[in-house]
Amino acid sequence: MTKPSNVLELECSACSKKYDASIEHHLCTCGKPLLARYDLRRAAATLTLEILKARPLTLWRYAEVLPNDDPVSLGEGMTALVLVKRLGASIGLQRLFVKDEGLNPTGSFKARGMTAAVTRAKHLGAKALAAPTAGNAGGALAAYAAAAGLPSVIVMPADTPAANIMECQAFGAKVVKLNGLISDCGKYVAEHKDREGWYDISTLKEPYRVEGKKTMGYELWEQFEGKLPDVILYPTGGGVGLIGMCKAFDEMQEMGWIGAERPRMVAVQAEGCAPIVKAWEAHKSSAAFFPNAATIASGLRVPGPLGDLLILSMLRQTKGTALTVADDEMLQAGRELAALEGIFAAPEGAATVIAARKLAATGWIKPHESVVLFNTGTGYKYTEAWQRALQSARPE
Ligand SMILES: Cc1ncc(COP(=O)(O)O)c(C=O)c1O
Ligand SMILES: [Zn+2]
């Protein structure tokens, strides 16, 4: 017997066209992503700080605002929010936190999106799951597919970090390596999926990865005891986490938990792949494809994010900003975060340290403001990047 669902329908994020959430949908007919809409009045009746205290420490604790199928779960979510005092002092920020997403199953926040998407796909009768990946999403999909008892196909650039390739193989996925970028991998999945009978789990091409990732916003609210931080710095590739958190904040407002105020969202990108920053600086509402994308932060190597309109509008709505960080700066910041605070970060996470320093130096972030850096992945999977970081640290 199915439990009653709070999901009312799917709605196009661009043209507002509605779709039946009880059957499989991917993109809107207009080509843009679909978002799940809930009966938030009903959700709010049982989703309170008090009730949450007794719930399991996974993101499925927010069941009322997630799909209501039996979860395919590996214990994801409720990651640590670490007050980083020494790093904060070195930047001039009194309330600096790292949300350490490296603590998730498969070592990245991609687990959040995949637990929700795979759960829903399984329930909708998917026979095989496929996705292009910059690295971590592939590992997460392969793991959750294994946990669901479903085959998976992961399509990745041939120069993806070795650990990401190995984990996919270990989880029993079919791994396709292409000489190209994630955008080429996405085309490969799109061209093969119908013939092969794959369920496409690409970023924003199904509605539920956003739902899993939005729980980062719910967790911040819970970890800050019913409040939200002033500023959130997020390493942005496809932007799913940023879109998801902003969606969570809108849902919270509708449930009466918060008012109209929002944390200022900061999209941090690599100098070598910065479509969102380029569009932001040019005051555009959409992003152009970023040519010759190259960065050591493989998760940020997303030259043409499908969610560009959403990301840019959320930066505007929250009075946020967008800025780039160079690869060498990320490597250096990774060492600083590790040595000062004991957090072994992915270069994507380390990028947010530099961004915070730059924004504190210009006064955009004030010393007393509460600031959250998202370390989106563990450093343990980035042996190539860390080798480079530690080599450059050696005395001459
Ligand atoms: C460690 C890490 N950080 C950030 C990102 C970018 O994520 P999003 O698509 O949510 O912007 C990725 C994506 O692969 C990643 O692996
Ligand atoms: Zn549409």
Side-chain angles (χ1 to χ4, degrees):
M1 205 185 74
T2 36
K3 294 169 272 170
S5 173
N6 290 332
V7 181
L8 296 174
E9 61 199 358
L10 302 174
E11 184 185 23
C12 175
S13 56
C15 74
S16 301
K17 189 170 167 185
K18 309 278 195 294
Y19 292 83
D20 178 355
S22 69
I23 50 177
E24 178 178 339
H25 288 291
H26 291 269
L27 290 175
C28 177
T29 48
C30 80
K32 285 296 174 188
L34 300 177
L35 297 173
R37 299 296 179 207
Y38 294 81
D39 181 342
L40 292 169
R41 243 152 76 116
R42 193 161 82 178
T46 49
L47 198 58
T48 65
L49 270 181
E50 208 41 48
I51 288 175
L52 279 167
K53 280 187 189 144
R55 295 218 176 150
L57 292 172
T58 77
L59 61 77
W60 291 98
R61 62 202 278 104
Y62 309 110
E64 287 87 342
V65 287
L66 288 170
N68 71 331
D69 314 312
D70 254 356
V72 178
S73 174
L74 294 167
E76 55 292 316
M78 268 327 231
T79 53
L81 181 70
V82 186
L83 176 64
V84 285
K85 278 195 186 152
R86 272 180 299 273
L87 183 68
S90 87
I91 297 179
L93 296 174
Q94 292 147 21
R95 290 191 293 152
L96 182 65
F97 298 84
V98 171
K99 178 84 169 142
D100 194 2
E101 291 292 302
L103 301 171
N104 276 303
T106 72
S108 89
F109 70 153
K110 297 286 176 182
R112 294 180 185 268
M114 290 306 178
T115 187
V118 172
T119 292
R120 192 72 192 122
K122 182 177 168 132
H123 189 84
L124 291 171
K127 297 285 178 283
L129 311 175
T133 179
N136 286 315
L141 173 55
Y144 283 89
L150 289 171
S152 62
V153 183
I154 311 296
V155 188
M156 54 171 67
D159 59 351
T160 300
N164 294 129
I165 301 174
M166 271 188 260
E167 62 180 338
C168 292
Q169 289 167 338
F171 292 129
K174 177 180 171 200
V175 177
V176 179
K177 288 185 251 172
L178 297 185
N179 287 317
L181 296 173
I182 188 171
S183 40
D184 303 298
C185 300
K187 276 188 211 132
Y188 183 96
V189 172
E191 283 162 14
H192 287 73
K193 66 181 167 56
D194 289 339
R195 187 166 6 114
E196 305 284 348
W198 299 341
Y199 184 104
D200 188 354
I201 256 170
S202 306
T203 298
L204 295 170
K205 288 193 186 167
E206 62 71 58
Y208 295 98
R209 278 174 72 177
V210 172
E211 293 307 295
K213 282 222 188 151
K214 81 180 179 188
T215 58
M216 295 188 290
Y218 281 92
E219 282 176 27
L220 286 180
W221 175 79
E222 213 183 332
Q223 290 173 320
F224 281 104
E225 290 166 353
K227 293 201 187 73
L228 291 172
D230 295 309
V231 180
I232 295 175
L233 290 96
Y234 180 80
T236 305
V240 183
L242 195 146
I243 294 167
M245 280 190 273
C246 289
K247 181 174 190 282
F249 301 148
D250 289 348
E251 289 173 358
M252 290 177 195
Q253 184 176 358
E254 219 177 306
M255 290 192 285
W257 294 7
I258 59 171
E261 73 286 359
R262 292 287 184 274
R264 308 199 300 282
M265 304 301 287
V266 180
V268 182
Q269 296 204 298
E271 265 179 15
C273 183
I276 296 298
V277 177
K278 231 178 136 192
W280 176 255
E281 287 175 349
H283 306 288
K284 297 232 168 81
S285 59
S286 65
F289 191 85
F290 196 91
N292 307 317
T295 167
I296 199 156
S298 42
L300 303 187
R301 211 165 45 148
V302 183
L306 185 60
D308 57 340
L309 298 177
L310 283 170
I311 301 167
L312 289 160
S313 98
M314 284 162 176
L315 296 182
R316 272 194 309 275
Q317 278 169 27
T318 65
K319 302 189 173 58
T321 189
L323 73 167
T324 59
V325 173
D327 280 11
D328 282 343
E329 292 178 310
M330 290 180 210
L331 296 175
Q332 187 260 323
R335 293 201 317 263
E336 198 180 351
L337 183 56
L340 278 182
E341 301 290 351
I343 295 172
F344 194 49
E348 292 86 340
T352 64
V353 174
I354 300 288
R357 178 165 283 130
K358 288 182 181 173
L359 293 173
T362 61
W364 194 89
I365 304 179
K366 304 276 178 297
H368 65 274
E369 288 188 307
S370 54
V371 179
V372 174
L373 309 180
F374 266 86
N375 175 38
T376 42
T378 174
Y380 292 103
K381 287 212 245 173
Y382 289 79
T383 48
E384 298 92 342
W386 269 100
Q387 237 155 21
R388 224 177 99 180
L390 294 169
Q391 251 156 21
S392 61
R394 271 195 211 128
E396 298 290 304

